[in-house]
Amino acid sequence: MTTKLAVRALLAVVFWPSLFFFWFLGPFVFFLLSTTGSEVCPRLETRAEFLAAANGTILMLAVQSLVYAVPILCLVLWQRLAPEPARARHIVTCVKLFAVTVVIGVLWAYGSSLVCDGYGQAFFSPLWRWTSFLPIVNVVINVPLYVLTFSLGRAFSTREDMPADDAVPPDQDIT
C-alpha cells in the first residue's frame, strides 16, 4: 500500500509541473520554435526552400507531441494503479481529445511553415492557407481536454485515506 501511495505521489510530482509548464507555457515556446521566423520568410524564394523549411519543423513537432503527452501518460499510469471504470472512460476521452489536438496542431504548424506567415508566394495549394484557422479549432478542443485532465489529475492525486472537507464525521448527527 505504501508503495502504491509513493508511486501515486511520484506521478503527482511529474503530472502537475508537466501540466503547467508543458500545456500552459509550452505552446508559446514551441510556437516560436516550430514555425519559420519572419526574418527567414522573405529569403525563401523557391518551392524547394519552402518545403525544406516546413520539413525542418517535423522533428520539433514530434518532440512537442511527446512532451505534451506526459500528463496523459500520468493519467494512464494512475488508472493502472487504481482502476476505476468511471475514470477509465474519462481517460479514454482525454486520450482521444489529445490525439485530435496533436493532429490539428501538427497540421497547423506544418501548414503555417508552408504559408510562411503570409510572406510566401503561392507555391502550394490554397488549402494550406486554411490551416491558419486550425488554432481556433484547437482551442475549442483543448478547453474540455484541459478541464477534464485537470479534474482527473486532481482526483488521482488526492489521497483517498483523507476525509473530505465537507464530510460529516460518523459520530455526529446532522438532523
Side-chain angles (χ1 to χ4, degrees):
M1 181 63 181
T2 58
T3 305
K4 250 187 185 178
L5 189 60
V7 171
R8 285 181 68 183
L10 180 63
L11 283 172
V13 167
V14 171
F15 176 82
W16 290 110
S18 68
L19 187 69
F20 177 73
F21 289 111
F22 298 155
W23 281 23
F24 297 126
L25 298 179
F28 300 111
V29 174
F30 281 119
F31 173 73
L32 295 173
L33 295 175
S34 67
T35 60
T36 306
S38 61
E39 67 275 355
V40 176
C41 287
R43 292 186 287 168
L44 298 177
E45 295 177 2
T46 66
R47 182 181 175 99
E49 289 174 328
F50 270 88
L51 266 179
N55 291 339
T57 65
I58 291 175
L59 180 60
M60 179 60 72
L61 294 172
V63 169
Q64 174 182 345
S65 299
L66 289 175
V67 167
Y68 285 163
V70 170
I72 299 294
L73 291 174
C74 287
L75 290 178
V76 170
L77 291 174
W78 266 325
Q79 179 62 24
R80 307 243 313 131
L81 284 174
E84 191 172 316
R87 288 185 187 154
R89 287 190 305 270
H90 292 302
I91 290 173
V92 168
T93 302
C94 277
V95 170
K96 289 177 182 177
L97 288 172
F98 180 75
V100 169
T101 61
V102 165
V103 169
I104 290 172
V106 166
L107 280 174
W108 170 61
Y110 190 78
S112 65
S113 294
L114 285 177
V115 173
C116 202
D117 300 326
Y119 292 111
Q121 300 172 14
F123 288 123
F124 300 96
S125 168
L127 289 176
W128 285 111
R129 297 196 193 283
W130 284 93
T131 61
S132 63
F133 295 107
L134 288 178
I136 297 167
V137 174
N138 221 358
V139 166
V140 169
I141 295 170
N142 273 325
V143 168
L145 174 64
Y146 286 7
V147 169
L148 188 58
T149 302
F150 182 84
S151 65
L152 284 170
R154 185 171 176 258
F156 276 122
S157 62
T158 304
R159 287 182 49 178
E160 294 171 355
D161 59 344
M162 299 292 290
D165 293 340
D166 57 351
V168 177
D171 59 340
Q172 289 183 353
D173 189 14
I174 59 172
T175 55

